[in-house]
Each structure stands twice: as C-alpha cells, then as structure tokens.
Amino acid sequence: ENIEVAKALRKRHENELDFTKEAQNLRECTRDMQRYGVEPSLVRIPRVVDEICTPNVLAMEYLEGTSLSDAIDGEQHRMAKALGRKDGEELKRELGKRMREHFENGGGAG
C-alpha cells in the first residue's frame, strides 16, 4: 500500500518538474487567453523559448510591466478603499474572519 502511494507521489513530482510539460501548459494557457480576447490586450503571458527548453530548463521571454500579483494587490487595495477599509490587507483579514465564522457556525452545510 505504501509503495503505491510512493509511486504515485513520484510520478506526480516527475510531471511537475518536467519543464517541457510546463512549457506546454504555458502555450495552452496563451491560446485560451487569446481565444477569450484577453491576451495580449489585457494580459501578457511570456512566450516559451523552445530552442533552449529541456525537461530541466524552462526559458521564457522577459516581460516588463506590472506582475499579475502586483495587479491583484493593487485591485484589492482599490476595492478596500472603496469599501471604506484602510487597505487590501485589512480587507483580506476581515473577509477571512467572516469566512471562518461562517463555516464554524455551519454555513455552507447542506
């Protein structure tokens, strides 16, 4: 039983660490975003540099600009201000607290 679990974990880790698969995921994500009309107008996904990618190396173009994580933080900050909160961190804490209370009180059961 433990051997099967170990084999499954190993296979999962091998897949996650195979950068040719990650490159394939990036290309698929780019196609999906283009199909929905958000890439490259709203979002840019770095292009894979196939010539130097291997299972151990993932090479992508460098993009200047605002990172996705910074854009999300900025939007959370704007939303927090619009809702009368100090900043995005305060809003996240308050939402987290409300969600914990909701589920601790049986919310969502059903």
Side-chain angles (χ1 to χ4, degrees):
E1 182 178 311
N2 289 338
I3 291 174
E4 292 305 314
V5 171
K7 285 180 181 178
L9 286 172
R10 181 182 180 129
K11 178 74 172 161
R12 180 175 175 187
H13 286 201
E14 286 172 353
N15 285 336
E16 288 179 4
L17 295 174
D18 182 344
F19 290 126
T20 57
K21 291 180 181 180
E22 184 62 25
Q24 182 180 345
N25 291 339
L26 278 168
R27 286 189 288 273
E28 181 180 340
C29 183
T30 299
R31 283 191 304 272
D32 289 345
M33 293 293 191
Q34 288 171 343
R35 189 175 16 228
Y36 289 110
V38 297
E39 210 282 344
S41 59
L42 297 175
V43 171
R44 281 278 299 147
I45 299 169
R47 302 300 183 250
V48 174
V49 183
D50 290 312
E51 301 79 36
I52 55 177
C53 286
T54 71
N56 300 312
V57 174
L58 175 62
M60 300 174 286
E61 71 176 317
Y62 175 78
L63 296 176
E64 290 193 36
T66 304
S67 70
L68 179 59
S69 122
D70 287 347
I72 290 170
D73 287 346
E75 186 61 24
Q76 287 175 342
H77 182 74
R78 284 188 289 281
M79 291 289 289
K81 288 289 192 181
L83 293 169
R85 302 302 183 277
K86 178 181 150 192
D87 58 25
E89 287 303 313
E90 180 182 321
L91 182 60
K92 282 194 274 189
R93 281 191 303 275
E94 184 176 328
L95 289 173
K97 178 183 172 195
R98 287 185 183 191
M99 288 176 67
R100 276 189 303 282
E101 290 170 355
H102 174 76
F103 288 108
E104 286 170 357
N105 294 325

